[in-house]
Amino acid sequence: MDFSSTSIRILFGLKLRQLRLDKSLTQYDLADMSGVSVSYINEIEKGKKYPKTDKIIALASAMGVTYEVLVSLQLSKKMEPIYEFLRSNILRDLPLSMFGIEPADLLELLANAPTKLSAFISTIMEIGRQYNLSVEEFYFAVLRTYVEMHENYFADIEMAAETFLADVSPEPTNQLTDGFLIQYLCERHGYIVELFDDQSHPHLNSLRSVMLPAEKKLLLNKTLTTDQRAFTLGREVGFLQLGGKERPLTSSWVEVRSFDQVLTNFQASYFSGAILMRKERLLPLLEHWLSLPTWAEAEVALEKMLDQLQATPETLLHRISNFLPHYFGIDQLFFLRFEHKPGDTHFDLTKEMHLARLHSPHGITGEHYCRRWISLSILTELADLQQQGPVEKALLRAQISDYIDSQNAYFIFGLARPLTPIRDLNHSVSLGILLNEASQKRVRFLNDPAIPRRNVNESCERCRAIDCLERSAPPTLLHKRERIQVLKGALQDLGVR
């Protein structure tokens, strides 16, 4: 069995503690019987030390078991979930310190309450099985939590981007192009950048890029747009500038091998956005955008930003989400990315981020997302337009969404981009801002009465909107909740509390 040294220490300590308690021995009792000090036994049980052979023999003899029983990796049935947890190497893969958790704290928890923790871990693993949560999805969920904790602003990466720009392009108005980045990678770092297509690499056509480390060769998909190519190259520069334990070699993902890969990829992508949309250039544009009194003016300004910055819609919205909380005090917002195949009724949520709290809308398993969401309606509109002919520009739409059965309302704007030859899918990205006193005071166009306003819900299954023309599924969860309320009322009438 492939265990890390940390996991083996924890497992041995848990087993020693379990055997000791089964025999109703205190650490002092075991110390007297084995000749091993109490402090050393305590460190063993907390997973800090792994004893030498002579001490293992003494401990085994004191508890009436063989050396082989004590050193085996077998735990009792009630502690099997902890065994599975340690075997998964999550302790090795996740940098717990970035969440303010020291490994010693977790080890102490494992040592002091193994039975309760075992039940908890078993429950978490069962939830994961029920919802088909893969290791990769777990890693991305952890990353999302990490990003949300920091309000999607990382000063160290911003500083690294500024240092790089000061070195290669100190003029704030300069725009780094894909050609400049290719030249930088080749001349400064000895890269070979090569375009590929269906003819040269027929099995790679679904990937944006492939890195061949041994040859220092970066393969770029020839079908990438200029802004996509610039972002991919900027990300490659980010890997070089920021370092990291492990990096992915492909974009998009083929296989996620560790959390380090996921974290390093995020950091390099953040760096790419920061050098392509440099802070000193974007902040004044964003300040002007927020000051515009009408959405019509703001819409035009946003389209100009896309053109001026040579940005993908996703990168621009992410960059805006970096700055709104940090510089403008607008921290109640969310980001969504959906993919959709024209003609299909399924919409796939591929990325989400919620700052300050879990906002609606958000990811839901096994239900139909509300078709009134701007993220989905703009994809439907794009698919309809594509039946009439090619669509060259991204669609930009906005609305105020009032959530049925809730006091919350959000201003949401989204961009939908036509499919590319890499993947036969359209995608939309959208940013939502909670309407509250802070946002309405800071963002002038939020008070524009011309912005379309619609009642929405989380999903069709939860929605009480009887006249909804976009409904894709009956309100089964709503009816179930109503039946329970009726039943509770009848029980209360009978005096049952």
Side-chain angles (χ1 to χ4, degrees):
M1 189 63 62
D2 181 23
F3 273 98
S4 69
S5 59
T6 299
S7 297
I8 291 174
R9 288 200 310 271
I10 296 171
L11 196 63
F12 185 89
L14 288 171
K15 188 161 191 179
L16 178 65
R17 184 178 189 276
Q18 177 190 332
L19 288 170
R20 177 176 62 77
L21 293 177
D22 286 345
K23 295 184 179 296
S24 301
L25 297 174
T26 66
Q27 288 184 346
Y28 289 97
D29 294 334
L30 183 56
D32 288 339
M33 297 166 64
S34 65
V36 179
S37 71
V38 173
S39 61
Y40 195 63
I41 291 173
N42 184 51
E43 288 191 313
I44 293 171
E45 292 189 355
K46 288 186 176 182
K48 294 180 179 180
K49 299 285 186 181
Y50 191 90
K52 293 182 179 179
T53 302
D54 59 332
K55 287 187 168 53
I56 295 176
I57 293 172
L59 290 167
S61 176
M63 291 188 292
V65 298
T66 65
Y67 172 91
E68 289 74 16
V69 167
L70 191 54
V71 299
S72 75
L73 299 179
Q74 195 66 38
L75 286 174
S76 65
K77 185 175 181 180
K78 68 181 180 180
M79 296 181 71
E80 281 179 1
I82 293 179
Y83 175 84
E84 295 298 325
F85 176 72
L86 295 175
R87 190 174 66 175
S88 71
N89 278 329
I90 289 176
L91 288 177
R92 180 199 65 192
D93 290 340
L94 293 183
L96 298 172
S97 59
M98 74 183 192
F99 293 102
I101 302 172
E102 293 302 324
D105 298 333
L106 187 57
L107 305 188
E108 187 168 357
L109 180 62
L110 283 165
N112 291 335
T115 304
K116 291 180 180 180
L117 186 62
S118 174
F120 175 73
I121 292 171
S122 182
T123 301
I124 295 298
M125 294 177 72
E126 180 62 27
I127 291 172
R129 283 191 291 267
Q130 288 285 336
Y131 289 93
N132 297 316
L133 182 66
S134 65
V135 174
E136 290 87 349
E137 290 169 321
F138 173 72
Y139 288 154
F140 286 116
V142 172
L143 175 67
R144 189 165 62 244
T145 301
Y146 176 63
V147 171
E148 291 164 4
M149 281 173 55
H150 290 81
E151 294 190 329
N152 198 28
Y153 185 86
F154 294 86
D156 56 337
I157 306 179
E158 296 284 351
M159 181 63 69
E162 290 176 14
T163 301
F164 171 78
L165 290 168
D167 176 39
V168 302
S169 181
E171 178 56 47
T173 58
N174 283 354
Q175 177 70 43
L176 298 190
T177 64
D178 56 331
F180 175 88
L181 292 170
I182 289 174
Q183 184 179 4
Y184 172 83
L185 287 169
C186 294
E187 293 182 358
R188 293 275 192 105
H189 295 279
Y191 270 55
I192 300 170
V193 179
E194 184 179 292
L195 299 181
F196 72 88
D197 55 22
D198 289 345
Q199 301 300 315
S200 58
H201 294 284
H203 299 298
L204 303 181
N205 60 351
S206 64
L207 300 177
R208 290 190 176 195
S209 67
V210 180
M211 180 62 190
L212 308 177
E215 305 171 51
K216 269 198 169 181
K217 181 183 287 187
L218 180 64
L219 302 178
L220 286 178
N221 196 315
K222 189 179 288 186
T223 61
L224 290 176
T225 61
T226 301
D227 52 8
Q228 288 173 333
R229 191 158 54 240
F231 179 82
T232 303
L233 291 162
R235 174 175 161 270
E236 194 63 34
V237 175
F239 289 132
L240 295 170
Q241 295 292 315
L242 302 175
K245 295 180 182 178
E246 188 177 0
R247 56 155 294 178
L249 298 177
T250 63
S251 177
S252 307
W253 290 99
V254 175
E255 179 184 14
V256 180
R257 296 183 178 179
S258 70
F259 181 74
D260 280 330
Q261 274 193 340
V262 173
L263 181 60
T264 302
N265 183 71
F266 164 77
Q267 292 169 334
S269 298
Y270 188 109
F271 179 91
S272 182
I275 64 172
L276 293 174
M277 284 174 282
R278 48 205 307 167
K279 182 165 58 177
E280 61 266 43
R281 189 176 182 199
L282 181 55
L283 273 177
L285 295 175
L286 193 54
E287 178 77 52
H288 171 69
W289 183 66
L290 297 175
S291 70
L292 295 170
T294 68
W295 169 244
E297 294 170 281
E299 185 176 11
V300 172
L302 198 62
E303 289 175 337
K304 284 184 178 179
M305 271 193 260
L306 277 171
D307 293 337
Q308 292 171 356
L309 301 170
Q310 297 179 350
T312 67
E314 181 171 353
T315 307
L316 177 59
L317 264 61
H318 262 300
R319 202 72 179 122
I320 292 174
S321 73
N322 296 150
F323 292 156
L324 287 183
H326 191 76
Y327 289 101
F328 301 101
I330 303 169
D331 60 354
Q332 297 283 348
L333 52 84
F334 64 81
F335 169 89
L336 301 176
R337 183 181 71 191
F338 276 91
E339 290 183 348
H340 175 241
K341 186 173 183 177
D344 199 343
T345 59
H346 177 70
F347 296 84
D348 187 19
L349 178 62
T350 56
K351 186 182 289 186
E352 64 177 319
M353 176 185 68
H354 302 265
L355 300 188
R357 64 177 178 178
L358 182 61
H359 296 274
S360 293
H362 55 80
I364 300 173
T365 302
E367 299 177 39
H368 293 75
Y369 296 114
C370 177
R371 270 30 180 186
R372 293 180 176 181
W373 289 359
I374 199 74
S375 311
L376 274 57
S377 63
I378 196 172
L379 283 170
T380 301
E381 180 184 352
L382 176 58
D384 291 342
L385 289 173
Q386 286 171 318
Q387 291 184 341
Q388 304 169 23
V391 179
E392 302 297 334
K393 282 187 63 176
L395 297 185
L396 172 58
R397 300 289 183 269
Q399 74 181 36
I400 292 176
S401 295
D402 292 292
Y403 274 79
I404 301 171
D405 302 326
S406 168
Q407 301 298 314
N408 292 334
Y410 294 86
F411 168 77
I412 306 171
F413 66 100
L415 292 125
R417 197 170 192 177
L419 53 86
T420 66
I422 293 180
R423 300 186 68 193
D424 190 25
L425 297 168
N426 292 334
H427 75 268
S428 73
V429 289
S430 52
L431 199 64
I433 299 172
L434 180 69
L435 293 186
N436 56 23
E437 185 177 350
S439 63
Q440 289 177 303
K441 183 178 180 180
R442 193 66 185 80
V443 188
R444 284 190 65 194
F445 59 76
L446 291 188
N447 300 301
D448 181 4
I451 299 175
R453 196 157 191 152
R454 302 197 76 186
N455 288 329
V456 302
N457 214 319
E458 293 182 61
S459 71
C460 295
E461 285 81 354
R462 300 167 188 262
C463 187
R464 64 176 68 255
I466 300 173
D467 59 343
C468 180
L469 300 177
E470 297 89 348
R471 180 179 289 281
S472 296
T476 52
L477 294 178
L478 172 68
H479 291 161
K480 180 179 179 180
R481 189 165 65 242
E482 289 175 340
R483 287 195 300 270
I484 291 173
Q485 289 302 319
V486 170
L487 182 57
K488 283 183 177 180
L491 291 172
Q492 287 179 354
D493 291 340
L494 293 172
V496 178
R497 295 287 188 268

